């Protein structure tokens, strides 16, 4: 019979050996329990350390992920900025090219318009020059006609002077009345004045007002006498020209 069986039998006396065995068994179980508890405690400690390590590793990974995320954001931002700058440069170059082409086109149009305007101006200038030359020719012809008219007027004036002198001489020779002689002389002077006015009128009709300037001062003084211009002999040539013209026009109006 074993100790365990003896211990379970009712009424069996407990021996010292049995009690010792029981004590040893209890100690062994306690040690085993303690060992298991220590093992569990070690496992728990290891798992706690592992959990701490996992936590720290997780925090590290989070920090690394955060840092890498920031770097990724910066990298992608920089790439986007570089792409944007490249796009700006491309658009700038494209705009410059388009502007240059437009300016070149406008410049060509302006040059063509300027050339056309220059050609038209030259054509008009040539036409104007031809008209000026024609006008000069007509002016020369008009001056020639005016010269002829002035010569005719001078001749008529000379004839009137001669006629007046002849009348005066004839009157004096025939011992006519002084009153008749004066009348005839005044008539001759009037005729001479008419001749002078006719010369001025012919000059005006030919539109060459400078023709009197070609007369000598003596001729102008002679023309001034029948026009009753006072102080003619003391006037300058220009003053005589103006006075003869003014008196002739006044005589024509009267």
């Amino acid at each position: 019979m074993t100790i365990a069986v003896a211990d379970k039998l009712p009424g069996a006396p407990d021996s010292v050996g049995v009690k010792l065995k029981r004590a040893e068994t209890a100690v062994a179980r306690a040690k085993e329990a303690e060992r298991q508890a220590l093992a569990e405690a070690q496992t728990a400690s290891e798992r706690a350390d592992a959990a701490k390590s996992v936590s720290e590793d997780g925090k590290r990974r989070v920090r690394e992920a955060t840092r890498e995320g920031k770097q990724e954001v910066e990298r992608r931002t920089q790439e986007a900025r570089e792409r944007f700058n490249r796009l700006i440069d491309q658009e700038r170059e494209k705009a410059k090219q388009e502007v240059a082409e437009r300016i070149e086109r406008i410049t060509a149009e302006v040059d063509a318009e300027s050339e056309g305007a220059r050609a038209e101006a030259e054509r008009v200038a040539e036409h104007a020059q031809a008209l000026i030359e024609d006008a000069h020719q007509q002016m020369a012809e008009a001056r020639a006609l005016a010269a002829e008219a002035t010569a005719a007027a001078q001749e008529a004036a000379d004839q009137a002077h001669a006629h007046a002198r002849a009348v005066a001489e004839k009157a004096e020779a025939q011992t006519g009345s002084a009153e008749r002689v004066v009348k005839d002389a005044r008539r001759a002077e009037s005729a001479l004045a008419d001749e002078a006015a006719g010369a001025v009128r012919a000059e005006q009709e030919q539109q060459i007002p400078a023709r009197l300037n070609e007369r000598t001062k003596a001729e102008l003084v002679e023309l001034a006498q029948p026009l009753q211009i006072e102080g003619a002999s003391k006037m300058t040539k220009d003053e005589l020209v103006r006075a003869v013209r003014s008196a002739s026009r006044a005589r024509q109006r009267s």
Side-chain angles (χ1 to χ4, degrees), residues 62-80:
V62 169
R63 287 194 301 271
E64 290 178 356
T66 302
R67 184 178 64 257
E68 292 175 356
K70 290 181 179 180
Q71 293 175 352
E72 178 70 13
V73 170
E74 292 178 357
R75 182 183 62 78
R76 296 178 63 177
T77 301
Q78 182 63 27
E79 291 177 354

Side-chain angles (χ1 to χ4, degrees), residues 1-122:
M1 182 182 298
T2 63
I3 295 173
V5 174
D7 289 339
K8 292 180 180 179
L9 290 176
D14 293 331
S15 63
V16 176
V18 172
K19 291 180 179 181
L20 289 173
K21 286 291 185 180
R22 289 178 180 174
E24 290 176 358
T25 300
V27 170
R29 285 199 300 268
K31 287 181 178 182
E32 180 62 23
E34 183 181 7
R35 184 188 63 77
Q36 292 178 355
L38 291 174
E40 288 294 330
Q42 181 66 32
T43 300
S45 177
E46 292 175 354
R47 290 184 178 181
D49 292 339
K52 183 179 180 181
S53 177
V54 169
S55 176
E56 291 176 353
D57 184 65
K59 291 178 180 180
R60 180 185 56 77
R61 291 172 59 188
V62 169
R63 287 194 301 271
E64 290 178 356
T66 302
R67 184 178 64 257
E68 292 175 356
K70 290 181 179 180
Q71 293 175 352
E72 178 70 13
V73 170
E74 292 178 357
R75 182 183 62 78
R76 296 178 63 177
T77 301
Q78 182 63 27
E79 291 177 354
R81 186 178 294 110
E82 291 175 356
R83 287 196 303 271
F84 186 70
N85 290 335
R86 286 195 297 272
L87 179 61
I88 290 176
D89 293 338
Q90 292 173 359
E91 289 298 323
R92 182 185 296 109
E93 292 301 321
K94 182 178 179 182
K96 286 182 179 179
Q97 182 66 26
E98 292 177 355
V99 169
E101 292 175 355
R102 183 163 63 252
I103 291 175
E104 183 178 359
R105 183 175 65 256
I106 294 174
T107 301
E109 294 174 357
V110 170
D111 290 342
E113 292 174 357
S114 299
E115 184 63 26
R118 189 182 301 107
E120 179 65 16
E122 291 176 357

